[in-house]
Amino acid sequence: MPSSSAQVRVRERGLQFLLGLVKHPILPVIIFTLLSTFLHNIDPPSKGEFYPFSNFPMYANPRDRDLEYFFLEHGDGTPLACFGYTGYTASGVKKLMRSESMAYAKANGLKWNKKSSWLTAEVQAEIGTTVLAHLRKRSEDRATPFRGDIALARGIIFVNEDGKMEDSSETIARNSAPHGDPASNKIP
Amino acid sequence: MSASIELARRIRSAPWVKRLCAGTFRPAPVASWEVLIMRVLFACVVWQTMPENFHYAEQKYPNGIARWYDLTWLWSGHEYSLAWMGIENPVSAMEIIRVVVAISLLFYAAGFLLPISLPLITAASVIVRTYYNSQGSIHHGCQMVTSILLFQSIVVLGFAGRRLYGRVVAKPFRFPEGLSIWSYFLYYSQGAIAGCYVIAGLTKIVRTGGDWFWNSPYMALEVIKTEKQEFYSTLDHSVLGTQTVYAEWMLNYPNLARLFLGAGVFLELFAIMALFSRSTALMIGAGMILFHRSVDIVMNLHFRFNEYAVWIFCINLPFWAALAMRNARDRGLTGVTDLPRKTS
């Protein structure tokens, strides 16, 4: 039958292509690319990150949605430069919140994703408190300890009805200074 | 119609088009001096990725091999006695690693004992950067450097193994004509670079099902977020408002934003073309540098190690400079692949 012979020819060509690919020096590069891209499917606990393999998720899903960021504050609500104390940038603090929410989900048998319904304001405050404790410890490990109370704020950037960008922020968690140290982080 | 056919025929027969199409996606002959320059420059890049110390006493969010192996021994607070070597003061693990890496990089740059020095550098890079990324904040600035080292190590160890096997079976291993270990060394270094960019492009497609291109004007929000994060890291007021103009432009001219941002993703997806030939490696490399410079201006995001790697392995200025000098001497009669290739 002509159709079956055509099918056989296509199959043979496909097989030849695959054999050629297996012998081709580009194959390791293709394997590296596919392995990294689908790492979160191959190894779900890795969430796509297994150094040096990464699926490079930065800016991979731009959408018309509220975008959040996190930053540190003094006890009185004024901003605090986190990098000098902890080595974490504000971007790092956001990633820390993400990692801690994953740890929270794992500890409580929940399924994690960015829009998880369980990630309520209360839960985020609880996660924020853990992150603040971690940051205070980090600042002490680095010998640049926070003095006084610190807080974590959550900023939101959004496009309003007029198509303009706006942002707002609110404090979501607090961490008191150890032994009631009243000293402030502020430079006099 | 015939005029356009004639034009197409002329374009096809143009020397630069012929040169551009003369690729194979396979390793090509490489001069040993070219790779020597690459190794020296890349050794400097690798050294810059090695931190001096670690203030992290724990790995609360283990990533990669840290999920199986405790890497807290890297903490600078742990000190180890090397009295048996006559060193009185105790030293941290990072100090030892930096000495080992420094010596290995010297060997790497010189091209000696690569089957030993290169895996040592690679292992150090993986361990150190894994611990760095196990602090809950994953940084994507060094993956490309470690991936290049990983590919180079596999090449060096692979061919060392084949040589050894050839001796055992009394059938000496020989490279295909014109090629040397440096051909594969460069090919897979470019492969690691291209792979990283293709991964970034594919992830955008896979995550959004292709909607990334249509939704790209919303990168405006990301631009503002990045600016805010930059400010709150150091409270440097000079960064405030610097990116707003670009973000507003993206929202006001969404189709132009789609065109420019989409071009960047296409460049990422087609980065694999860098493996086609030296000319395409140069073109993709130049495109990537332009891409990184644009991202730097618009988003204030720096990927300097990626840029260095692209300059060294894709753009490869020494080769083009040598070719230009030779062509000037020979009055432009020489083709791209005609440069003398003294292989080691």
Side-chain angles (χ1 to χ4, degrees), chain A residues 20-157:
Chain A
L21 191 63
V22 167
K23 289 180 184 173
H24 200 284
I26 207 169
L27 184 69
V29 179
I30 292 173
I31 291 172
F32 167 68
T33 306
L34 295 178
L35 185 78
S36 300
T37 307
F38 298 101
L39 191 59
H40 60 287
N41 299 100
I42 299 163
D43 178 25
S46 74
K47 303 284 181 201
E49 299 285 351
F50 192 106
Y51 196 87
F53 303 102
S54 169
N55 58 11
F56 299 113
M58 311 85 79
Y59 312 107
N61 195 2
R63 276 180 293 169
D64 179 15
R65 56 168 181 181
D66 295 354
L67 216 55
E68 64 180 13
Y69 61 96
F70 295 90
F71 58 96
L72 296 193
E73 291 177 332
H74 295 282
D76 64 3
T78 52
L80 190 160
C82 55
F83 186 71
Y85 288 99
T86 63
Y88 282 102
T89 58
S91 162
V93 174
K94 187 187 176 186
K95 290 174 183 174
L96 204 52
M97 282 293 288
R98 184 177 185 265
S99 299
E100 193 54 51
S101 66
M102 282 180 191
Y104 180 93
K106 195 178 172 186
N108 292 283
L110 300 163
K111 195 172 180 206
W112 184 88
N113 68 52
K114 281 182 181 174
K115 291 280 168 192
S116 299
S117 55
W118 56 264
L119 203 53
T120 57
E122 290 77 25
V123 172
Q124 210 168 37
E126 191 181 335
I127 292 167
T129 308
T130 313
V131 165
L132 282 177
H134 176 76
L135 289 173
R136 189 178 283 281
K137 185 177 182 308
R138 172 57 55 82
S139 74
E140 286 159 3
D141 287 344
R142 285 167 50 95
T144 49
F146 291 120
R147 287 170 293 152
D149 300 345
I150 54 169
L152 182 71
R154 177 173 176 260
I156 298 282
I157 304 166

Side-chain angles (χ1 to χ4, degrees), chain A residues 25 49 51 55 88 95 100, chain B residues 61 135 138 140 146 188 203:
Chain A
E49 299 285 351
Y51 196 87
N55 58 11
Y88 282 102
K95 290 174 183 174
E100 193 54 51
Chain B
Y61 311 96
Q135 306 304 317
I138 290 180
H140 292 99
T146 310
Y188 285 112
T203 299

Side-chain angles (χ1 to χ4, degrees), chain B residues 47-61:
Chain B
W47 181 246
Q48 287 182 57
T49 65
M50 289 286 155
E52 285 182 27
N53 47 43
F54 275 118
H55 295 296
Y56 326 135
E58 56 183 2
Q59 50 173 49
K60 201 175 171 195
Y61 311 96

Side-chain angles (χ1 to χ4, degrees), chain B residues 5 22 24 77 80 117 130 169 180 185 208 228 230 239 242 267 269 275 281 295 321 331 335:
Chain B
I5 292 171
T24 57
Y80 303 89
S117 58
T130 296
V169 298
S180 68
F185 187 91
T208 62
K228 296 273 179 197
E230 181 87 5
V239 301
T242 50
L267 187 65
L269 289 169
L275 295 180
V295 170
R331 294 193 172 275

